[in-house]
Amino acid sequence: MATEQDRDPALAEAIAQLRDTQPEVDLWPGIARQLPRHPRGTVILHWPMALAAGLAIAIVTAAGTAVVLHRTTVAPPAVAAIANPDHAAVVPASYSPDDAALARAVNDVEQLVRASYPEMNPSARNSVQQSLAALDRAIAQASQRERAAPDDPRAAKYLTGALRKKLQVLRTVHTLTQRS
């Protein structure tokens, strides 16, 4: 788009007369001395420090592994209750302390959800109960699988995953019932 300045012949003549000239003094060496050698945030490690850090990491890792492998206490099995109100059963969850805590969390949140059943819409309550029953069946199957193969890490992982999924569903239901 042409402007009035583009059509000005005096301006065009002045632009044509401009010439590129070199500065009398080269300023770059002075500027370069003021610039940081490394970008900000760059950590500069010297070989002795890097070697010491690597040794410290190796020692801490070895010590942590030794502590974990030499534990002599075995946590009691966790217990997860089946949420189906018609068929309450106790399912051994796992021998991991993490799974015991997970089973307790599932039971705690499940009690909160059950307490909110009277305030729920009947179709929503029915849908929640069906979902929880399906999850309970999956937990029962996972528990059976783990009991059949107690040394199989996949069986334990499957059970833990089923418990986590149920906890996630229960938390979602609890959150939604608290908002209404």
Side-chain angles (χ1 to χ4, degrees):
M1 173 182 209
T3 63
E4 192 171 315
Q5 291 178 348
D6 292 338
R7 293 187 213 130
D8 184 9
L11 179 61
E13 184 180 327
I15 291 173
Q17 291 177 0
L18 289 175
R19 298 289 172 246
D20 192 16
T21 58
Q22 294 293 325
E24 295 177 12
V25 178
D26 187 10
L27 301 175
W28 180 248
I31 295 171
R33 278 193 304 269
Q34 295 176 7
L35 294 176
R37 290 184 179 199
H38 302 283
R40 284 192 173 178
T42 302
V43 176
I44 300 171
L45 288 178
H46 300 284
W47 279 107
M49 188 184 304
L51 184 61
L55 286 173
I57 290 171
I59 290 169
V60 169
T61 302
T65 302
V67 168
V68 169
L69 291 177
H70 291 344
R71 281 189 180 165
T72 57
T73 59
V74 175
V79 176
I82 300 291
N84 188 350
D86 299 326
H87 177 67
V90 174
V91 179
S94 175
Y95 293 96
S96 164
D98 295 336
D99 286 347
L102 182 60
R104 282 192 303 273
V106 166
N107 288 334
D108 292 346
V109 179
E110 189 168 6
Q111 288 176 359
L112 294 173
V113 168
R114 284 180 185 229
S116 67
Y117 278 174
E119 292 89 35
M120 279 188 199
N121 176 317
S123 63
R125 181 177 51 241
N126 187 33
S127 177
V128 167
Q129 288 173 334
Q130 287 176 356
S131 298
L132 293 178
L135 286 166
D136 287 336
R137 286 190 297 275
I139 291 170
Q141 288 172 355
S143 180
Q144 273 184 332
R145 182 176 168 188
E146 186 185 37
R147 279 190 306 239
D151 295 333
D152 184 8
R154 292 178 296 171
K157 186 175 181 179
Y158 181 70
L159 178 59
T160 301
L163 286 168
R164 284 183 179 162
K165 184 64 175 176
K166 183 174 181 180
L167 182 60
Q168 179 184 6
V169 168
L170 286 167
R171 283 180 174 166
T172 302
V173 170
H174 178 65
T175 301
L176 292 174
T177 57
Q178 296 304 305
R179 290 183 185 168
S180 54

